Amino acid sequence: MTGAKALMEALLHEGVDTIFGYPGGAITPVFDAMYDYMDKFHYVLTRHEQGATHAAQGYARVTGRPGVCIVTSGPGATNTITGIGDALMDSTPLVVITGQVGKTLLGTDAFQEIDMVSITQPITKWSYQIRDEQEIAWAVARAFYIASSGRPGPVELDFAKNAQIAEVDFKSEKCHFIRSYFPVPEIDESILQDAAALINCSKRPLALVGHGVTIGQAEEELKAFLEKADIPAAWTMLGESAMPSDYRLNKGMLGMHGNVGPNIKTNECDLLIAIGMRFDDRVTGDLDAYARQAKVIHFDIDPSEIDKNVKTDIAILGDVKKTLPQITQLLHEAKHTEWIDSFTEYEEREKNNVIQQDLHPTDGPIKMGEVVRKVSDATKEEAILVTDVGQNQMSAIRYFRFKNKRSVVTSGGAGTMGFGIPAAIGAKIGAPDRTVCLFCGDGGFQMTVQELGTILQEDQLGVKIILLNNNYLGMVRQWQELFFGQRYSSTPMANPDFCQIAQAYGIRSAHVGRREELDAAIADMLSDDKAFLLVVECEEKGMIYPMTPAGKAVTNILLGD
């Protein structure tokens, strides 16, 4: 068979059922081969290669399986860079296959030749150029193993055209081992004993729950660990749905726009237990003033994260699905009632100063927070939340609530505007039976607005898009207001009629400008199983509080007026 067909067979062997992408000259043999596999793959034609990568990310995040996208060489390939970098930052398994000129033309600056291996090496777990058709089975098997094992991430395969068209006697392969690559460290049981002793002696423990718990499918193991030792827990943005929103030990979000209680208590606890999180600067603020009083235990699968930002007293390397139960067996039953109750004061302060005004305003413009909570309530807290980036993201993360795991798809480490629409498409395709609600701002929406065409082509795929329109690049404007003397440089936006744009793509829409219209519009949106755009005119100069200014201590929290 041809190398292009061999690629199709190799993808089937890896269990791939969905491919996102965009054709072009250097990858045409692969798309020609795909024509005969339309009954085996759901192929999603996005409107831009960046959209293909973000859609593949959304699919991967809700399924736990690698997202796959196939694009052409040159500008098609370079358009995937943002999505690849985003996937690396957020540990999302991704296999990106790019077309390339034939090997005899490599290095000649041939039409649409770009050195993708060199470009992507810093932002992938592995980047490889297939120049020979005999390498196809080996390279694909290796790519999926690397992308999905250990700490997941993106892999790039650059597929030379000569290898696509050449004949090959194909035999599928499976990769389970690579010399010098150890994706899951061996568990040191003596360290588990030391960590358990530290937890058993702690009077004020605090757990920090990250994306690693979701990646490791360790939600139940986390709960058993927290329950036995009675440990309050807070979460990073990507770790949000690892615990139900109403779980008694769930104390809210960490970081710059996180909840007051967990941020204050970070600098009051005597033991900080980080579980599958990387101590990002948006969580820690000023490292010199971060949890200096506490011992630190760090659970992680990636040794490079240990001591990278925060000095660890005990590092527990391994898969949290295994390490958490092992340490739970060593723990004493504990009660930290007084310590847990001490969060209440800060919860009340935040409720009175921020949350009440965000969720239950009595007059004035519509607040982003009230829109988010109304949609969350209307979905009975069972929907998948997808966000773009900016104030819409922070409002959605703060006020959307969850009962189910794998319910948050957002761009964390990279903070990629334009992530929302394509990621929501991928999430809906990956979880077709679940409601997918996307919150985005007017800025991010317009960065990938062309992906409404993908929704159209996918038979009005039932993504619910809630556009929180404030006619500003809201988060940048907030920083300008607080730290740059209200000099609103390049943040006011002249916007189109978003409902007319939706109409052009055959997508139903509604525009809400008054609070009393909101409930009915949300009900209408959710009653339709097809795509829907709900445009809500929100407070133009609204602020997202609490806020810890960048580089300040986690206890230096602004609560607004």
Side-chain angles (χ1 to χ4, degrees):
M1 64 180 69
T2 65
K5 185 174 180 179
L7 174 64
M8 296 295 103
E9 292 292 331
L11 293 176
L12 280 177
H13 187 66
E14 293 295 335
V16 174
D17 58 13
T18 303
I19 299 171
F20 304 89
Y22 204 94
I27 200 68
T28 300
V30 168
F31 279 81
D32 181 66
M34 196 184 300
Y35 190 85
D36 295 324
Y37 287 78
M38 290 299 186
D39 60 333
K40 295 181 173 64
F41 297 115
H42 178 186
Y43 178 71
V44 182
L45 174 64
T46 59
R47 294 305 183 262
H48 191 280
E49 293 87 356
Q50 180 183 346
T53 56
H54 292 329
Q57 286 177 272
Y59 173 92
R61 294 273 282 275
V62 301
T63 65
R65 302 194 299 272
V68 178
C69 54
I70 302 177
V71 304
T72 194
S73 64
T78 57
N79 281 343
T80 68
I81 296 301
T82 298
I84 293 172
D86 193 289
L88 184 74
M89 292 286 280
D90 288 350
S91 303
T92 303
L94 205 62
V95 176
V96 177
I97 300 167
T98 56
Q100 185 54 276
V101 301
K103 66 181 179 181
T104 59
L105 292 175
L106 291 170
T108 68
D109 292 331
F111 178 66
Q112 293 191 336
E113 179 195 1
I114 293 285
D115 184 357
M116 280 297 289
V117 172
S118 296
I119 290 174
T120 59
Q121 277 180 337
I123 56 170
T124 56
K125 289 185 71 178
W126 187 53
S127 184
Y128 186 76
Q129 189 172 76
I130 302 173
R131 300 183 184 183
D132 190 295
E133 60 275 9
Q134 302 296 333
E135 299 178 317
I136 294 169
W138 169 86
V140 171
R142 189 180 179 100
F144 276 83
Y145 174 62
I146 292 172
S148 58
S149 60
R151 181 180 183 175
V155 167
E156 204 274 337
L157 293 178
D158 200 38
F159 198 5
K161 195 167 187 179
N162 62 282
Q164 298 175 40
I165 60 179
E167 296 282 323
V168 60
D169 185 10
F170 176 77
K171 182 179 180 182
S172 62
E173 294 187 20
K174 197 71 178 175
C175 181
H176 298 288
F177 171 79
I178 297 173
R179 189 177 62 185
S180 78
Y181 172 57
F182 305 103
V184 182
E186 291 288 331
I187 299 171
D188 187 331
E189 294 191 8
S190 65
I191 289 178
L192 291 175
Q193 297 275 358
D194 294 341
L198 206 54
I199 295 170
N200 287 332
C201 291
S202 172
K203 303 299 183 186
R204 301 184 308 279
L206 176 61
L208 313 182
V209 177
H211 194 199
V213 172
T214 296
I215 293 170
Q217 302 180 56
E219 292 90 352
E220 292 304 316
E221 290 79 3
L222 170 69
K223 187 175 181 180
F225 168 78
L226 298 174
E227 285 288 340
K228 188 171 184 181
D230 202 32
I231 299 172
W235 37 267
T236 67
M237 193 165 64
L238 295 183
E240 179 169 13
S241 62
M243 299 179 287
S245 298
D246 62 358
Y247 178 47
R248 72 174 187 92
L249 294 172
N250 183 344
K251 294 302 174 182
M253 183 167 69
L254 299 158
M256 178 175 284
H257 291 284
N259 296 107
V260 175
N263 281 322
I264 293 289
K265 293 300 178 180
T266 295
N267 278 13
E268 293 182 8
C269 66
D270 61 9
L271 179 63
L272 207 59
I273 307 167
I275 308 172
M277 55 87 71
R278 58 190 180 86
F279 288 112
D280 174 75
D281 63 288
R282 283 297 193 261
V283 165
T284 65
D286 180 5
L287 284 169
D288 291 334
Y290 184 77
R292 307 299 291 179
Q293 80 294 338
K295 297 286 188 181
V296 178
I297 298 173
H298 192 171
F299 288 78
D300 212 289
I301 202 167
D302 185 355
S304 72
E305 289 298 340
I306 304 301
D307 295 334
K308 185 173 79 175
N309 294 322
V310 172
K311 178 65 178 174
T312 300
D313 293 282
I314 298 177
I316 301 176
L317 292 171
D319 184 342
V320 290
K321 194 169 182 66
K322 295 179 179 179
T323 56
L324 279 173
Q326 285 183 277
I327 200 167
T328 300
Q329 291 180 348
L330 303 173
L331 298 180
H332 301 156
E333 296 276 356
K335 285 293 179 186
H336 295 109
T337 304
E338 184 177 347
W339 167 240
I340 293 171
D341 287 347
S342 71
F343 283 76
T344 304
E345 171 192 351
Y346 299 102
E347 291 166 355
E348 288 299 316
R349 183 187 303 177
E350 184 175 347
K351 179 180 177 181
N352 293 333
N353 290 330
V354 177
I355 296 174
Q356 187 67 26
Q357 289 87 332
D358 281 351
L359 299 187
H360 306 291
T362 56
D363 55 16
I366 298 171
K367 300 267 193 177
M368 289 186 179
E370 65 178 307
V371 182
V372 172
R373 181 56 63 86
K374 282 179 178 291
V375 174
S376 178
D377 290 345
T379 61
K380 299 180 172 58
E381 303 179 0
E382 293 179 343
I384 292 173
L385 168 68
V386 183
T387 84
D388 208 89
V389 168
Q391 287 185 318
N392 63 89
Q393 178 186 37
M394 292 299 108
S395 290
I397 293 294
R398 281 181 55 80
Y399 295 126
F400 212 84
R401 292 173 61 83
F402 305 94
K403 292 178 181 176
N404 303 313
K405 60 186 179 181
R406 288 195 179 275
S407 293
V408 177
V409 180
T410 191
S411 174
T416 303
M417 287 182 68
F419 176 86
I421 300 176
I425 291 169
K428 184 62 178 176
I429 289 171
D433 296 331
R434 297 187 65 185
T435 300
V436 173
C437 294
L438 163 65
F439 288 87
C440 55
D442 41 316
F445 180 83
Q446 292 179 85
M447 283 193 169
T448 49
V449 65
Q450 69 274 3
E451 297 305 334
L452 296 180
T454 306
I455 293 174
L456 169 65
Q457 186 139 353
E458 289 294 310
D459 191 26
Q460 297 298 344
L461 185 73
V463 174
K464 310 304 179 185
I465 305 172
I466 302 95
L467 198 167
L468 303 174
N469 183 25
N470 60 4
N471 297 299
Y472 273 96
L473 296 175
M475 189 57 80
V476 182
R477 186 211 54 76
Q478 178 165 332
W479 281 52
Q480 289 172 336
E481 180 164 330
L482 291 174
F483 311 120
F484 292 89
Q486 301 182 23
R487 292 157 59 89
Y488 301 132
S489 174
S490 297
T491 49
M493 296 198 75
N495 285 322
D497 185 325
F498 293 111
C499 290
Q500 285 196 25
I501 292 174
Q503 183 180 0
Y505 286 100
I507 295 172
R508 284 191 63 215
S509 65
H511 178 273
V512 171
R514 296 184 298 133
R515 183 168 285 112
E516 52 268 30
E517 302 169 335
L518 192 53
D519 289 338
I522 291 171
D524 185 28
M525 174 181 71
L526 294 175
S527 68
D528 192 336
D529 63 355
K530 297 295 187 179
F532 198 102
L533 173 65
L534 177 59
V535 181
V536 183
E537 299 299 328
C538 293
E539 181 180 20
E540 285 202 347
K541 294 186 178 180
M543 305 289 277
I544 305 299
Y545 290 117
M547 181 181 183
T548 301
K552 299 295 184 180
V554 291
T555 53
N556 189 351
I557 301 170
L558 305 178
L559 291 176
D561 296 334

